[in-house]
Amino acid sequence: MKPAAFTYHRAHDVRESIELLTELGEDAKILAGGQSLAPMMNFRLARPSALVDITRVTGLDYLRHGADGLRIGALTTHRTVETASELAGFDVLPRSAHWVGHYPIRCRGTFGGSIAHADPTSEWCLLAVLLEANIVLAGPRGQRTVPATEFFHGFFATAAEPDELIVEIHFPEPARQAALTEFAQRQGDFAIVAAAVRLSSVDGQCTGGRVVLGGVDPRPLVVDISNALDGAAVTESTWDAVGELVAGQLDPPTDAHGSGAYRKQLAATLVARAFAEAAAR
Amino acid sequence: MTAIGQSLPRKEDPRLLRGAGRFGDDLQRPGQLHARIVRAPQAHGVLRSVDVSMAVAAPGVVRVLTAADLPDDPRIPVRLTVQGIELTEHLQPVLARETVRYVGEPVAVVLAEDPYLAEDAAELVALDIDQLPVAMDADAGTVAAEFELGFGDTDAAFAEAEHVVELDFDVGRHSAVPLEPRTLLVEPDRATGALEVFGMTKVPVFNRGVLASMLDIDEARIRVHAMDAGGGFGVRGEFYPEDFLVAWLALHTGRPVKWTEDRAEHLVAVNHSRQQQHRISAAFAADGRLLGLRADVAHDNGAYCRTHGIIVPELTLAMLPGPYRVPAYRGRIAVVLTNKTPCGTYRAPGRFEGTVVREQLLDMAADQLGVDPVQLRRRNLLEPAELPHTRPMSTLGTDVVLDAADYPGLLDAAVAEAKRLGYYAQVEQSRAAGKRVGLGVAMFLEKSGLGPQETADVSVGTSGAVRVHSGGTSLGQGIETVLGQITADGLGVSAADVTVINGDTALQPFGAGSWASRSTVVGGGAVHEAALAVRERAIEVAARILEVAVADLTLHDGVVEVRGAPGQRVSLAEVARACQPGSAWLYAGEPAGLAARRRFEVAHMTYPYGAHLAVVELDEQTGGVRVLRYLVAYEVGRAINPELVRGQLIGGVAQGVGGALSEEFGYDESGQPQAVTFMDYLMPTAAEIPEVDVLVTENAPSADNPLGAKGAGEGGLTAAGAALANAVRNALGEAGSVARLPMTPARVRAMLAGEAG
């Protein structure tokens, strides 16, 4: 469990990061906290030729909440999000942060790093898709923005080019009634299944909703619930029905932590629980 | 005030808590090389060739070793042969020669200037393996041994039975995962050809003998220093292939060689344990009396027989009747070889497995007979008046003689304590609130104090400081503290003045090591006797100095004193100086020194016992199991250090919760291990372990050792699988039945749906 040889480069600002990425080529990787990358390197599952350490880049550690929504700097730690106050409309983010790994991981791991890593059970990836966030990338050709719904291509695969760096995640629209819940056998483990939902309702009647699942597909999976919620009562039986509707559309993989069939059962349960939690907001 | 019985702070803690512990990986030697083991990537195949040419040419590589470089076919011998069964043809070679039999089997060793270069070069060793069919479960494996233990007429018992209950149950493959993986450092002395070995914490003297014989050198040329260890639990310190390979390389390169196991290696390299399939049945009379017990067990031992041989299967059968009155018993076990990591002991070996099936069977019987499970147990537990109770079968080479005990008393005390702590009330309240909760009770019999002997040296230095050279090893259990307390009381000094040195084969060449919950009982017995001998000697020499009769002297608080004349005294330091060579107080020809070596022998083990009570809550949707309450009640004979007994029990519970609920070494159908990281091998964390309630009793001291002690190392784990399985069964009610451990959420979900989990 010693990593294969690599060169190490510390970048001091975004421009230098991009220059280094350009110079070092596509086998270089960004180190933005190292909570996933370092273990993968130690197992030699990842063998970057070079690491560009951006953890000392200044100006990428922020939460800006304003009229145009919430902007999260890429180097903002999970712990910073967890302890953020006054994120009205976006408080599903701090509420969900405790699901991210363990305390030491949350203190070092970063929001942008998690998005870039694109683990399909990652809480931030699910919420970025749920809330239709935009991923802001900086590269040698300037900045561009990719909707989260198009950003995740598969296990650890994204729309980011090798010479691009995530600088910000922009959540344009608040979602007051949103929740994420998940199930793993131990506190802090990767979810077997995770469910993120948002709901809109008026006077005890649902007017719409959205479901994104982790652990059932190589990407955060948006499940079509069409109009199932429109006009439905804000009650437990509605959530159960939507859970079953969602599970019926899934064909999840089997692995050592659970069969596909078990994951479908979990999805039904977790979607219902997440809606109940969202409705209580 | 005596030291024994006090919860003195641990002697080990100042060094361990300040980062001054002596762990293997902390050691560095000038010029040391680093070994990396190349391991088989396939579960079964013919090893056509091992091409090391690229690896040899890689940067920093000094040597690459394969089986072809070794003179013959060295295999690791069994440490304990039992039941007269020969296992020679199933022993593990130190490096695979013609066949690989499990993923992780050592095939070559790369020796390089640093561990990174060694790992780089190890990737360049090319293995040509022709795959063979794999045997992944006991049904498909090769039977290495088969035997029976038992007594009485089971056929007659089952024929006259009013009720027969039967259970098929699988115990999952899991094992000890110490926080610190193994480390070895072997330093050769080129002048003398001697080897200093750092590591091997468990049975260093035995391992020294094995190594000497495999290297064909005299054992006096090898000195093993057992190091501090981040947990042992049975797996650490046995003689593994690496223990030979690292020493061989040091001897043949003339340079210090270090090997530090990484976690991914650890999970495929150290002994696995526990995997058994049981079919067990019990015959009962109409009044609930147990008439007979039958067990048919398949034990999946993995690819080879290692140092433990077949003692886990043997212990499974020998301990299966537990603390109950069993008139007729027949246990049969097949030890099967499969293409998985070989197995050995893990804390409470054989007892964890046997207890989980027996105690569930009793709950099932209670259901069938319509009686309370605690009452059914009580009816069948051996009464104090029936002890000692000899079971006509042997284990670990000794007869099973159950010594002093009050099993019903302990069970009553455990249930009363659980009631007092609100366990039963909590279950009722939670059920009333619609929660699916259950309470499980399990009773168990442990064993401890395995002989045949332990040796200890106690000496007093000229400052009055007392030194103990014991044959135990410090695995984190606090044995230095315990032996220090025993020495203090035996000799008449403060425990603070005693230093205990463990596991150095030069200082204590006759030590038998720390395993089988033996060190307090047998090691403590040796230390106690050596301390008494030093006391006697000190009084004898003090009598010369003080010019009084021996009978008029006492020794306490490090001072020898004339009874009734407190002013007339001589300190232990002065007596030690009087024992120095050249001292006027020594007689002509009398050996110098204030010291004694004593050997303590025991004919039989002593059998501690206890009960576990668990309360669990099931999540009906996810199948998740939460352990809400947990009580261990344990009879320890005499608690030398009550807080350490408590610590042992709580730690055991944590491991038991893991084995019962989450830890499992799974394999896919091609023999690839599925749990090679902590993402997949799920040890419980602090979040999954409840507050553990502990009730330690000292009602049945052992008559076989001067302290009355029974071992405390394993009882926290022994009945954890049983209590949790019974609690889950209880929570399931009519919904389903438990068929295997671990009770993972997916399996519990299936049980809730009425399928056998």
Side-chain angles (χ1 to χ4, degrees), chain A residues 4 10 22 27 32 34 43 49 79 97-98 101 114-115 118 124-125 127 145 187 208 219 229 235 239 281:
Chain A
R10 171 167 288 161
T22 308
D27 291 336
F43 281 116
S49 58
R79 182 67 183 159
H98 73 277
S114 182
I115 297 287
W124 298 151
C125 296
L127 289 174
T145 295
Q187 174 70 39
R219 295 179 294 178
L229 280 173
T235 68
W239 318 139
R281 304 302 304 178

Side-chain angles (χ1 to χ4, degrees), chain A residues 1-5 42-44 47 102 183 185-187 189-190 256-259 262 265-266 269-270 273, chain B residues 36 115-116 119-120 123 262-264 619 621-622 624 661-662 677-680 682-683 687-688 745-746 749:
Chain A
M1 284 174 61
K2 306 286 185 203
N42 287 341
F43 281 116
R44 300 196 171 204
R47 292 168 178 254
H102 301 272
F183 183 74
Q185 196 164 357
R186 296 181 303 183
Q187 174 70 39
D189 275 349
F190 290 94
H257 298 291
S259 65
Y262 177 59
Q265 291 166 349
L266 282 182
T269 297
L270 295 169
R273 288 181 184 177
Chain B
R36 175 76 183 175
Y116 292 81
E119 194 163 334
D120 290 347
E123 291 186 317
D262 67 35
R263 185 61 70 190
D619 181 326
Q621 268 76 46
T622 63
L661 299 181
S662 58
T677 74
F678 281 162
M679 275 170 54
D680 296 312
L682 305 181
M683 297 170 75
E688 284 76 44
R749 183 67 171 77

Side-chain angles (χ1 to χ4, degrees), chain A residues 35 77-80 82-83 97-110 187-189:
Chain A
Q35 300 304 296
T77 64
H78 310 311
R79 182 67 183 159
T80 303
E82 184 174 13
T83 53
H98 73 277
W99 292 110
V100 180
H102 301 272
Y103 178 76
I105 292 172
R106 294 199 291 275
C107 292
R108 299 198 71 171
T110 58
Q187 174 70 39
D189 275 349

